[in-house]
Amino acid sequence: MAHEAAKAPRMVDADGTVRVAEASSKQRGFRPGMLPLRAMKMHWTLTDFLDMDNRFVYKMKRQEEGACKGVELQTAVALDFQSVLRQTAFQQCRVGYLYGHFTDDGRAVVKALYEPPQRGTAIDVELHEDPRAEIVDKLAGLLNMQKVGWIFGHPPREEGFHFSSPEVFMAAEQQLEAAEGVGDTPFVTVKVTCDAEGRALVEGYQVSKQAMEMVAEGALEIGENPGECAVNETFTALVEAKEAKAVDNNFFLINVAITQTDESDLVYSFPVANRDDLGILQTQQDLRRQIESAGKQGWSLIDRLADFQLLLYLTSALDVDTDIPRLCESIKDRSVPLDDGFKILLNCLAGLE
């Protein structure tokens, strides 16, 4: 112990007392929160050191163009999400997942919306555990759809404040999942809010690959200022060659053009799931109403059943491995007839038999 103390650095206090300096783990580490260099390996060259250090340095730069070349959004989906935000006068945040497909030229085509269980406030959204998450993805797959984006709504904000740091994280994490790592993906974020006159604003975005990488590596954190992402102390962010402790969220955003369309092989009539907090429920009466509308205004029964929310409602009563796939086959290919027994079963579920 005496030998170790003899090697320890000394400090001289103001009164002339010589004492052993207290070691600081942060001072000893290669970077804050990391081991000392010698704990990683014994011998380092200057090149080794610089290569190692550069792994933790990000030179911030804007990405002008994203992998998503545009969003084709069903008008019914857009209007419905706006209407649910208007129920709270745009004073409550809300989140949903968008389902559809990607085109060969990099566009996201949105056909359906699913809102997971959640509790929204004026500031953020708390997502709850979703027991039906796997069923939703399976149902989408049976309809030749996949998750192509997510949508969120929020109260009006000051000019220039587009994304909060949690929203940047959510967008980055969703893109990372879609791309299976840091890579190109058309996965899109749609943001809905309103202006000072109450007019709805619907905008499309992606976050940059640099944002994806920094979130994946833990270089970014949720900071005190919601308009910025804080930089983890282990990392260095350089903005215009100067170190920054936080990065403006707008640095990470890429605009994506949105077009709305009324063309779809699905209808959008059944109440959306998980809106119980707003007094909106999916009931047997809704199923009955939709089935009874078949034969009117040119609608066939299969036309009225081709509703993502209605099909999701039916998964609680029909087998998702046998019954639902048969139903989806008739929806995808209208030449495939629906069995009479199936029609009787649906009528029973709707209280019509």
Side-chain angles (χ1 to χ4, degrees), residues 196-237:
E197 284 73 42
R199 294 185 294 254
L201 302 174
V202 183
E203 300 168 334
Y205 293 93
Q206 284 195 298
V207 295
S208 66
K209 288 172 71 173
Q210 188 174 58
M212 294 169 69
E213 181 180 353
M214 294 181 77
V215 168
E217 294 296 329
L220 296 178
E221 297 178 342
I222 306 297
E224 294 183 3
N225 183 346
E228 298 176 335
C229 284
V231 179
N232 181 282
E233 63 176 1
T234 302
F235 297 82
T236 301

mmCIF file of all heavy atoms in Angstrom, residues 196-237:
data_model
loop_
_atom_site.group_PDB
_atom_site.id
_atom_site.type_symbol
_atom_site.label_atom_id
_atom_site.label_comp_id
_atom_site.label_asym_id
_atom_site.label_seq_id
_atom_site.Cartn_x
_atom_site.Cartn_y
_atom_site.Cartn_z
ATOM 1 N N ALA A 196 -52.821 29.021 -35.995
ATOM 2 C CA ALA A 196 -53.484 29.944 -35.069
ATOM 3 C C ALA A 196 -54.979 30.087 -35.368
ATOM 4 O O ALA A 196 -55.773 30.403 -34.476
ATOM 5 C CB ALA A 196 -52.795 31.306 -35.128
ATOM 6 N N GLU A 197 -55.377 29.831 -36.634
ATOM 7 C CA GLU A 197 -56.791 29.942 -37.006
ATOM 8 C C GLU A 197 -57.526 28.617 -36.854
ATOM 9 O O GLU A 197 -58.709 28.512 -37.177
ATOM 10 C CB GLU A 197 -56.910 30.428 -38.463
ATOM 11 C CG GLU A 197 -56.635 31.919 -38.657
ATOM 12 C CD GLU A 197 -55.155 32.252 -38.510
ATOM 13 O OE1 GLU A 197 -54.325 31.470 -39.029
ATOM 14 O OE2 GLU A 197 -54.836 33.261 -37.873
ATOM 15 N N GLY A 198 -56.826 27.578 -36.385
ATOM 16 C CA GLY A 198 -57.458 26.291 -36.191
ATOM 17 C C GLY A 198 -57.458 25.402 -37.415
ATOM 18 O O GLY A 198 -58.079 24.336 -37.405
ATOM 19 N N ARG A 199 -56.782 25.816 -38.476
ATOM 20 C CA ARG A 199 -56.690 24.985 -39.675
ATOM 21 C C ARG A 199 -55.679 23.864 -39.459
ATOM 22 O O ARG A 199 -54.583 24.105 -38.951
ATOM 23 C CB ARG A 199 -56.294 25.818 -40.886
ATOM 24 C CG ARG A 199 -57.328 26.850 -41.315
ATOM 25 C CD ARG A 199 -56.890 27.526 -42.590
ATOM 26 N NE ARG A 199 -55.674 28.309 -42.351
ATOM 27 C CZ ARG A 199 -55.639 29.649 -42.276
ATOM 28 N NH1 ARG A 199 -56.758 30.337 -42.404
ATOM 29 N NH2 ARG A 199 -54.512 30.280 -42.069
ATOM 30 N N ALA A 200 -56.047 22.658 -39.857
ATOM 31 C CA ALA A 200 -55.152 21.515 -39.663
ATOM 32 C C ALA A 200 -53.941 21.614 -40.580
ATOM 33 O O ALA A 200 -54.036 22.038 -41.737
ATOM 34 C CB ALA A 200 -55.905 20.217 -39.925
ATOM 35 N N LEU A 201 -52.792 21.225 -40.039
ATOM 36 C CA LEU A 201 -51.544 21.176 -40.801
ATOM 37 C C LEU A 201 -51.043 19.736 -40.776
ATOM 38 O O LEU A 201 -50.858 19.150 -39.703
ATOM 39 C CB LEU A 201 -50.487 22.099 -40.174
ATOM 40 C CG LEU A 201 -50.852 23.577 -40.054
ATOM 41 C CD1 LEU A 201 -49.774 24.324 -39.273
ATOM 42 C CD2 LEU A 201 -51.025 24.194 -41.437
ATOM 43 N N VAL A 202 -50.847 19.152 -41.950
ATOM 44 C CA VAL A 202 -50.376 17.767 -42.067
ATOM 45 C C VAL A 202 -49.057 17.791 -42.835
ATOM 46 O O VAL A 202 -49.014 18.230 -43.990
ATOM 47 C CB VAL A 202 -51.406 16.880 -42.795
ATOM 48 C CG1 VAL A 202 -50.925 15.433 -42.831
ATOM 49 C CG2 VAL A 202 -52.768 16.975 -42.120
ATOM 50 N N GLU A 203 -47.982 17.321 -42.196
ATOM 51 C CA GLU A 203 -46.650 17.412 -42.790
ATOM 52 C C GLU A 203 -45.925 16.071 -42.687
ATOM 53 O O GLU A 203 -46.111 15.326 -41.721
ATOM 54 C CB GLU A 203 -45.820 18.492 -42.085
ATOM 55 C CG GLU A 203 -46.441 19.878 -42.177
ATOM 56 C CD GLU A 203 -45.786 20.883 -41.234
ATOM 57 O OE1 GLU A 203 -45.227 20.456 -40.206
ATOM 58 O OE2 GLU A 203 -45.831 22.081 -41.546
ATOM 59 N N GLY A 204 -45.106 15.786 -43.690
ATOM 60 C CA GLY A 204 -44.335 14.557 -43.716
ATOM 61 C C GLY A 204 -42.862 14.808 -43.450
ATOM 62 O O GLY A 204 -42.304 15.819 -43.895
ATOM 63 N N TYR A 205 -42.226 13.879 -42.730
ATOM 64 C CA TYR A 205 -40.810 14.022 -42.378
ATOM 65 C C TYR A 205 -40.130 12.658 -42.330
ATOM 66 O O TYR A 205 -40.770 11.615 -42.205
ATOM 67 C CB TYR A 205 -40.645 14.652 -40.982
ATOM 68 C CG TYR A 205 -41.081 16.084 -40.863
ATOM 69 C CD1 TYR A 205 -42.385 16.388 -40.453
ATOM 70 C CD2 TYR A 205 -40.216 17.131 -41.131
ATOM 71 C CE1 TYR A 205 -42.801 17.706 -40.320
ATOM 72 C CE2 TYR A 205 -40.620 18.449 -41.001
ATOM 73 C CZ TYR A 205 -41.908 18.727 -40.590
ATOM 74 O OH TYR A 205 -42.318 20.037 -40.456
ATOM 75 N N GLN A 206 -38.813 12.697 -42.417
ATOM 76 C CA GLN A 206 -37.936 11.638 -41.950
ATOM 77 C C GLN A 206 -36.870 12.298 -41.093
ATOM 78 O O GLN A 206 -36.688 13.520 -41.143
ATOM 79 C CB GLN A 206 -37.262 10.906 -43.126
ATOM 80 C CG GLN A 206 -38.160 9.947 -43.865
ATOM 81 C CD GLN A 206 -37.382 9.002 -44.755
ATOM 82 O OE1 GLN A 206 -36.695 9.426 -45.687
ATOM 83 N NE2 GLN A 206 -37.482 7.703 -44.481
ATOM 84 N N VAL A 207 -36.184 11.497 -40.276
ATOM 85 C CA VAL A 207 -34.990 12.013 -39.607
ATOM 86 C C VAL A 207 -33.772 11.477 -40.354
ATOM 87 O O VAL A 207 -33.831 10.446 -41.028
ATOM 88 C CB VAL A 207 -34.924 11.627 -38.108
ATOM 89 C CG1 VAL A 207 -36.057 12.288 -37.346
ATOM 90 C CG2 VAL A 207 -34.932 10.122 -37.914
ATOM 91 N N SER A 208 -32.671 12.192 -40.251
ATOM 92 C CA SER A 208 -31.467 11.860 -41.008
ATOM 93 C C SER A 208 -30.836 10.565 -40.528
ATOM 94 O O SER A 208 -31.071 10.100 -39.408
ATOM 95 C CB SER A 208 -30.455 13.002 -40.882
ATOM 96 O OG SER A 208 -30.012 13.116 -39.542
ATOM 97 N N LYS A 209 -29.987 9.992 -41.375
ATOM 98 C CA LYS A 209 -29.239 8.793 -40.986
ATOM 99 C C LYS A 209 -28.280 9.109 -39.845
ATOM 100 O O LYS A 209 -27.987 8.244 -39.018
ATOM 101 C CB LYS A 209 -28.481 8.233 -42.194
ATOM 102 C CG LYS A 209 -29.414 7.591 -43.213
ATOM 103 C CD LYS A 209 -28.698 7.220 -44.499
ATOM 104 C CE LYS A 209 -27.760 6.057 -44.319
ATOM 105 N NZ LYS A 209 -27.190 5.611 -45.613
ATOM 106 N N GLN A 210 -27.808 10.361 -39.775
ATOM 107 C CA GLN A 210 -26.952 10.744 -38.657
ATOM 108 C C GLN A 210 -27.735 10.698 -37.349
ATOM 109 O O GLN A 210 -27.223 10.238 -36.319
ATOM 110 C CB GLN A 210 -26.376 12.149 -38.871
ATOM 111 C CG GLN A 210 -25.338 12.543 -37.843
ATOM 112 C CD GLN A 210 -24.685 13.884 -38.165
ATOM 113 O OE1 GLN A 210 -25.363 14.913 -38.288
ATOM 114 N NE2 GLN A 210 -23.369 13.875 -38.306
ATOM 115 N N ALA A 211 -28.999 11.130 -37.384
ATOM 116 C CA ALA A 211 -29.845 11.037 -36.192
ATOM 117 C C ALA A 211 -30.060 9.580 -35.813
ATOM 118 O O ALA A 211 -30.005 9.218 -34.633
ATOM 119 C CB ALA A 211 -31.188 11.718 -36.445
ATOM 120 N N MET A 212 -30.294 8.719 -36.803
ATOM 121 C CA MET A 212 -30.468 7.294 -36.532
ATOM 122 C C MET A 212 -29.222 6.722 -35.854
ATOM 123 O O MET A 212 -29.314 5.991 -34.868
ATOM 124 C CB MET A 212 -30.733 6.545 -37.845
ATOM 125 C CG MET A 212 -32.051 6.888 -38.528
ATOM 126 S SD MET A 212 -32.178 6.223 -40.223
ATOM 127 C CE MET A 212 -32.277 4.460 -39.896
ATOM 128 N N GLU A 213 -28.051 7.065 -36.393
ATOM 129 C CA GLU A 213 -26.806 6.541 -35.835
ATOM 130 C C GLU A 213 -26.577 7.032 -34.415
ATOM 131 O O GLU A 213 -26.199 6.264 -33.519
ATOM 132 C CB GLU A 213 -25.628 6.927 -36.717
ATOM 133 C CG GLU A 213 -24.292 6.401 -36.204
ATOM 134 C CD GLU A 213 -23.122 6.792 -37.089
ATOM 135 O OE1 GLU A 213 -23.351 7.364 -38.180
ATOM 136 O OE2 GLU A 213 -21.978 6.535 -36.673
ATOM 137 N N MET A 214 -26.821 8.327 -34.190
ATOM 138 C CA MET A 214 -26.569 8.897 -32.866
ATOM 139 C C MET A 214 -27.520 8.322 -31.816
ATOM 140 O O MET A 214 -27.131 8.094 -30.673
ATOM 141 C CB MET A 214 -26.653 10.423 -32.922
ATOM 142 C CG MET A 214 -25.552 11.068 -33.752
ATOM 143 S SD MET A 214 -25.630 12.882 -33.799
ATOM 144 C CE MET A 214 -24.959 13.299 -32.177
ATOM 145 N N VAL A 215 -28.757 8.088 -32.199
ATOM 146 C CA VAL A 215 -29.702 7.458 -31.269
ATOM 147 C C VAL A 215 -29.290 6.013 -31.008
ATOM 148 O O VAL A 215 -29.300 5.547 -29.860
ATOM 149 C CB VAL A 215 -31.140 7.534 -31.827
ATOM 150 C CG1 VAL A 215 -32.086 6.636 -31.024
ATOM 151 C CG2 VAL A 215 -31.649 8.976 -31.790
ATOM 152 N N ALA A 216 -28.898 5.302 -32.062
ATOM 153 C CA ALA A 216 -28.495 3.911 -31.906
ATOM 154 C C ALA A 216 -27.264 3.769 -31.016
ATOM 155 O O ALA A 216 -27.157 2.815 -30.232
ATOM 156 C CB ALA A 216 -28.224 3.289 -33.275
ATOM 157 N N GLU A 217 -26.335 4.717 -31.100
ATOM 158 C CA GLU A 217 -25.088 4.652 -30.334
ATOM 159 C C GLU A 217 -25.213 5.258 -28.940
ATOM 160 O O GLU A 217 -24.271 5.191 -28.153
ATOM 161 C CB GLU A 217 -23.967 5.371 -31.100
ATOM 162 C CG GLU A 217 -23.579 4.698 -32.408
ATOM 163 C CD GLU A 217 -22.990 3.310 -32.194
ATOM 164 O OE1 GLU A 217 -22.361 3.082 -31.147
ATOM 165 O OE2 GLU A 217 -23.174 2.451 -33.079
ATOM 166 N N GLY A 218 -26.364 5.856 -28.642
ATOM 167 C CA GLY A 218 -26.541 6.483 -27.331
ATOM 168 C C GLY A 218 -25.880 7.833 -27.223
ATOM 169 O O GLY A 218 -25.609 8.319 -26.115
ATOM 170 N N ALA A 219 -25.621 8.473 -28.373
ATOM 171 C CA ALA A 219 -24.949 9.775 -28.368
ATOM 172 C C ALA A 219 -25.906 10.913 -28.027
ATOM 173 O O ALA A 219 -25.461 12.008 -27.648
ATOM 174 C CB ALA A 219 -24.290 10.047 -29.723
ATOM 175 N N LEU A 220 -27.206 10.674 -28.159
ATOM 176 C CA LEU A 220 -28.199 11.708 -27.873
ATOM 177 C C LEU A 220 -29.011 11.333 -26.645
ATOM 178 O O LEU A 220 -29.208 10.152 -26.357
ATOM 179 C CB LEU A 220 -29.133 11.905 -29.073
ATOM 180 C CG LEU A 220 -28.501 12.427 -30.366
ATOM 181 C CD1 LEU A 220 -29.555 12.519 -31.459
ATOM 182 C CD2 LEU A 220 -27.837 13.791 -30.146
ATOM 183 N N GLU A 221 -29.493 12.366 -25.961
ATOM 184 C CA GLU A 221 -30.328 12.169 -24.789
ATOM 185 C C GLU A 221 -31.482 13.166 -24.821
ATOM 186 O O GLU A 221 -31.431 14.177 -25.520
ATOM 187 C CB GLU A 221 -29.512 12.372 -23.500
ATOM 188 C CG GLU A 221 -28.384 11.362 -23.317
ATOM 189 C CD GLU A 221 -27.571 11.635 -22.058
ATOM 190 O OE1 GLU A 221 -27.659 12.775 -21.532
ATOM 191 O OE2 GLU A 221 -26.870 10.720 -21.596
ATOM 192 N N ILE A 222 -32.520 12.859 -24.052
ATOM 193 C CA ILE A 222 -33.625 13.810 -23.880
ATOM 194 C C ILE A 222 -33.136 14.913 -22.949
ATOM 195 O O ILE A 222 -32.774 14.660 -21.800
ATOM 196 C CB ILE A 222 -34.860 13.123 -23.272
ATOM 197 C CG1 ILE A 222 -35.254 11.892 -24.096
ATOM 198 C CG2 ILE A 222 -36.014 14.108 -23.164
ATOM 199 C CD1 ILE A 222 -35.668 12.174 -25.496
ATOM 200 N N GLY A 223 -33.098 16.129 -23.454
ATOM 201 C CA GLY A 223 -32.586 17.247 -22.661
ATOM 202 C C GLY A 223 -33.683 18.048 -21.989
ATOM 203 O O GLY A 223 -34.875 17.726 -22.096
ATOM 204 N N GLU A 224 -33.294 19.097 -21.292
ATOM 205 C CA GLU A 224 -34.265 19.966 -20.609
ATOM 206 C C GLU A 224 -35.050 20.796 -21.607
ATOM 207 O O GLU A 224 -36.234 21.056 -21.412
ATOM 208 C CB GLU A 224 -33.535 20.871 -19.612
ATOM 209 C CG GLU A 224 -32.900 20.120 -18.441
ATOM 210 C CD GLU A 224 -32.258 21.059 -17.447
ATOM 211 O OE1 GLU A 224 -32.354 22.283 -17.640
ATOM 212 O OE2 GLU A 224 -31.659 20.575 -16.467
ATOM 213 N N ASN A 225 -34.400 21.227 -22.680
ATOM 214 C CA ASN A 225 -35.072 22.013 -23.712
ATOM 215 C C ASN A 225 -35.710 21.055 -24.716
ATOM 216 O O ASN A 225 -35.004 20.314 -25.395
ATOM 217 C CB ASN A 225 -34.061 22.918 -24.421
ATOM 218 C CG ASN A 225 -34.721 23.814 -25.464
ATOM 219 O OD1 ASN A 225 -35.865 23.606 -25.857
ATOM 220 N ND2 ASN A 225 -33.994 24.818 -25.920
ATOM 221 N N PRO A 226 -37.037 21.025 -24.827
ATOM 222 C CA PRO A 226 -37.686 20.051 -25.717
ATOM 223 C C PRO A 226 -37.346 20.248 -27.187
ATOM 224 O O PRO A 226 -37.511 19.329 -27.988
ATOM 225 C CB PRO A 226 -39.178 20.273 -25.459
ATOM 226 C CG PRO A 226 -39.276 21.668 -24.924
ATOM 227 C CD PRO A 226 -38.024 21.899 -24.144
ATOM 228 N N GLY A 227 -36.872 21.424 -27.567
ATOM 229 C CA GLY A 227 -36.523 21.690 -28.958
ATOM 230 C C GLY A 227 -35.127 21.249 -29.331
ATOM 231 O O GLY A 227 -34.695 21.433 -30.471
ATOM 232 N N GLU A 228 -34.411 20.644 -28.382
ATOM 233 C CA GLU A 228 -33.041 20.197 -28.620
ATOM 234 C C GLU A 228 -32.844 18.783 -28.092
ATOM 235 O O GLU A 228 -33.545 18.350 -27.174
ATOM 236 C CB GLU A 228 -32.031 21.114 -27.920
ATOM 237 C CG GLU A 228 -32.035 22.542 -28.388
ATOM 238 C CD GLU A 228 -31.064 23.389 -27.578
ATOM 239 O OE1 GLU A 228 -30.766 23.015 -26.417
ATOM 240 O OE2 GLU A 228 -30.604 24.427 -28.107
ATOM 241 N N CYS A 229 -31.888 18.078 -28.674
ATOM 242 C CA CYS A 229 -31.422 16.806 -28.126
ATOM 243 C C CYS A 229 -30.093 17.062 -27.438
ATOM 244 O O CYS A 229 -29.182 17.665 -28.033
ATOM 245 C CB CYS A 229 -31.227 15.771 -29.225
ATOM 246 S SG CYS A 229 -32.763 15.062 -29.860
ATOM 247 N N ALA A 230 -29.973 16.660 -26.180
ATOM 248 C CA ALA A 230 -28.716 16.819 -25.462
ATOM 249 C C ALA A 230 -27.718 15.781 -25.969
ATOM 250 O O ALA A 230 -28.093 14.705 -26.430
ATOM 251 C CB ALA A 230 -28.935 16.647 -23.959
ATOM 252 N N VAL A 231 -26.432 16.142 -25.889
ATOM 253 C CA VAL A 231 -25.368 15.244 -26.324
ATOM 254 C C VAL A 231 -24.812 14.520 -25.100
ATOM 255 O O VAL A 231 -24.434 15.161 -24.115
ATOM 256 C CB VAL A 231 -24.241 16.017 -27.043
ATOM 257 C CG1 VAL A 231 -23.128 15.066 -27.479
ATOM 258 C CG2 VAL A 231 -24.798 16.774 -28.244
ATOM 259 N N ASN A 232 -24.783 13.209 -25.146
ATOM 260 C CA ASN A 232 -24.234 12.407 -24.052
ATOM 261 C C ASN A 232 -22.784 12.817 -23.804
ATOM 262 O O ASN A 232 -22.033 13.080 -24.745
ATOM 263 C CB ASN A 232 -24.317 10.919 -24.417
ATOM 264 C CG ASN A 232 -23.789 10.020 -23.323
ATOM 265 O OD1 ASN A 232 -22.583 9.871 -23.156
ATOM 266 N ND2 ASN A 232 -24.689 9.406 -22.579
ATOM 267 N N GLU A 233 -22.372 12.844 -22.535
ATOM 268 C CA GLU A 233 -21.052 13.359 -22.178
ATOM 269 C C GLU A 233 -19.908 12.539 -22.763
ATOM 270 O O GLU A 233 -18.779 13.042 -22.881
ATOM 271 C CB GLU A 233 -20.897 13.419 -20.657
ATOM 272 C CG GLU A 233 -20.972 12.055 -19.965
ATOM 273 C CD GLU A 233 -20.722 12.130 -18.474
ATOM 274 O OE1 GLU A 233 -20.501 13.256 -17.984
ATOM 275 O OE2 GLU A 233 -20.734 11.079 -17.816
ATOM 276 N N THR A 234 -20.165 11.296 -23.141
ATOM 277 C CA THR A 234 -19.111 10.475 -23.740
ATOM 278 C C THR A 234 -18.806 10.912 -25.169
ATOM 279 O O THR A 234 -17.726 10.647 -25.693
ATOM 280 C CB THR A 234 -19.534 8.988 -23.738
ATOM 281 O OG1 THR A 234 -19.801 8.592 -22.389
ATOM 282 C CG2 THR A 234 -18.460 8.087 -24.308
ATOM 283 N N PHE A 235 -19.734 11.620 -25.796
ATOM 284 C CA PHE A 235 -19.610 11.975 -27.210
ATOM 285 C C PHE A 235 -19.385 13.476 -27.382
ATOM 286 O O PHE A 235 -19.621 14.267 -26.471
ATOM 287 C CB PHE A 235 -20.862 11.549 -27.972
ATOM 288 C CG PHE A 235 -21.088 10.066 -27.980
ATOM 289 C CD1 PHE A 235 -21.695 9.433 -26.893
ATOM 290 C CD2 PHE A 235 -20.689 9.296 -29.055
ATOM 291 C CE1 PHE A 235 -21.904 8.059 -26.895
ATOM 292 C CE2 PHE A 235 -20.895 7.923 -29.060
ATOM 293 C CZ PHE A 235 -21.492 7.304 -27.982
ATOM 294 N N THR A 236 -18.944 13.829 -28.590
ATOM 295 C CA THR A 236 -18.746 15.229 -28.952
ATOM 296 C C THR A 236 -19.523 15.517 -30.222
ATOM 297 O O THR A 236 -19.420 14.758 -31.196
ATOM 298 C CB THR A 236 -17.257 15.544 -29.201
ATOM 299 O OG1 THR A 236 -16.515 15.257 -28.023
ATOM 300 C CG2 THR A 236 -17.071 16.999 -29.583
ATOM 301 N N ALA A 237 -20.327 16.566 -30.211
ATOM 302 C CA ALA A 237 -21.043 17.011 -31.403
ATOM 303 C C ALA A 237 -20.462 18.352 -31.832
ATOM 304 O O ALA A 237 -20.356 19.271 -31.016
ATOM 305 C CB ALA A 237 -22.537 17.141 -31.121
#
